[in-house]
Amino acid sequence: VLVVRDRREIEALRARLVESGRLAAVGELAAGIAHEVNNPIAFIRSDLNLLSERLEEIERQAARVPDAELELAVLARSRRRIATARDGIDRVATVVGDVRDFAHAGGATQGGSDPEAVVEAAMRLARMERGDEITLRIAEIAGVGRIANGQELKQILLGLLRATADRLSKGGAIELRLRIDEHALQIALDVGSLREGCDELLQTLSRSATLEAGDDTRGFGIAAMAELLEGIGGRLSASGGEDGTARVELVVPVVGGDER
């Protein structure tokens, strides 16, 4: 008697469990790091605000002194540098908050989440990988409504944005269009300037549900995104053009509504 046992499925499941555990640990570390970083951010912001106030006092006093043009010019440059530093620390605080919120599993928000805020947070996280090389922006918002699964939608969008942004040529863009009615939130991602055309992206999205943990991290993220999307009753579709552009459409139910 010859017994043949295919262990590939078991090994794939074990690998996915290991990967899930590693990602969960990273999430806990991210939340802890965000908490630790918040304290020095608060001190730096407070000191910059105090320095800005004192600098304004010095400028007012220097303005009363004859022939103080050089001193006033130095003070003006210092004021601009302080303003730049304040903008920078505010940006750091925003990113830290996004990472903390993303790492926190949380529960359903009473009354639902604001779709625009969820999308903007996902874009800020996705933008960290490519920086100013590409453009991510909301091009259109139509309708008003709230969604019940904001945390899940943020993770889904982050997976989609990372998968698409990673394939963009330098200078490429992803424009998001949001439409909300009493039944569903529709998000369209218009992707331009794909490095290898749209075929590779469309193939990845079409086989997302069958990706194994043995694929690269990006593939695993797309598979997790597909499972989350199915869990919240959403759906995904994608199409492409011959000019290296693609459109990815995402539909999720809103609070108190049923998807059509």
Side-chain angles (χ1 to χ4, degrees):
V1 177
L2 177 64
V3 178
V4 178
R5 179 176 297 172
D6 189 348
R7 298 181 57 85
R8 288 178 297 180
E9 184 175 351
I10 297 175
E11 294 299 327
L13 178 59
R14 182 180 291 114
R16 294 191 68 167
L17 289 173
V18 171
E19 183 74 6
S20 297
R22 186 180 68 83
L23 292 176
V26 170
E28 293 178 2
L29 287 172
I33 292 171
H35 177 73
E36 292 298 324
V37 171
N38 270 332
N39 289 330
I41 284 177
F43 288 129
I44 294 171
R45 182 188 283 129
S46 177
D47 289 344
L48 287 173
N49 290 336
L50 180 61
L51 184 58
S52 178
E53 293 174 3
R54 294 293 180 266
L55 194 61
E56 290 178 1
E57 295 176 4
I58 296 172
E59 281 188 295
R60 286 195 296 269
Q61 294 175 5
R64 303 190 190 102
V65 178
D67 302 324
E69 288 80 7
L70 179 60
E71 289 78 4
L72 287 171
V74 172
L75 291 171
R77 286 197 298 270
S78 300
R79 181 161 32 85
R80 289 193 293 270
R81 295 293 297 272
I82 291 173
T84 301
R86 290 169 69 179
D87 290 341
I89 203 67
D90 287 342
R91 182 177 178 182
V92 171
T94 299
V95 171
V96 169
D98 288 336
V99 172
R100 181 198 60 219
D101 293 342
F102 184 77
H104 176 62
T109 304
Q110 186 175 5
S113 302
D114 177 11
E116 183 178 359
V118 170
V119 172
E120 287 178 344
M123 286 195 303
R124 285 194 296 267
L125 290 170
R127 196 178 288 117
M128 292 170 62
E129 294 191 19
R130 297 291 303 271
D132 296 331
E133 290 185 353
I134 62 173
T135 300
L136 301 177
R137 71 184 187 94
I138 297 178
E140 179 186 355
I141 301 176
V144 177
R146 300 183 74 81
I147 55 173
N149 305 97
Q151 188 73 0
E152 289 84 352
L153 178 60
K154 189 187 302 182
Q155 185 169 346
I156 292 165
L157 277 174
L158 180 58
L160 280 176
L161 289 170
R162 289 185 63 201
T164 52
D166 190 54
R167 293 168 169 84
L168 281 181
S169 301
K170 187 174 181 179
I174 302 175
E175 293 189 341
L176 290 85
R177 290 173 168 78
L178 284 64
R179 292 187 174 275
I180 313 165
D181 59 26
E182 67 274 16
H183 297 282
L185 164 67
Q186 303 174 24
I187 304 175
L189 284 70
D190 289 326
V191 186
S193 303
L194 288 163
R195 281 197 301 262
E196 301 173 1
C198 63
D199 291 344
E200 196 264 345
L201 173 62
L202 298 181
Q203 290 172 4
T204 300
L205 294 176
S206 66
R207 66 189 180 92
S208 59
T210 62
L211 286 171
E212 303 288 354
D215 294 302
D216 60 16
T217 304
R218 183 177 61 188
F220 184 82
I222 291 292
M225 177 274 299
E227 292 178 5
L228 278 173
L229 183 60
E230 181 181 357
I232 65 174
R235 67 173 187 265
L236 176 74
S237 61
S239 59
E242 298 179 356
D243 54 352
T245 62
R247 165 166 277 212
V248 182
E249 295 185 339
L250 189 67
V251 180
V252 295
V254 299
V255 172
D258 297 320
E259 182 193 351
R260 283 181 295 186

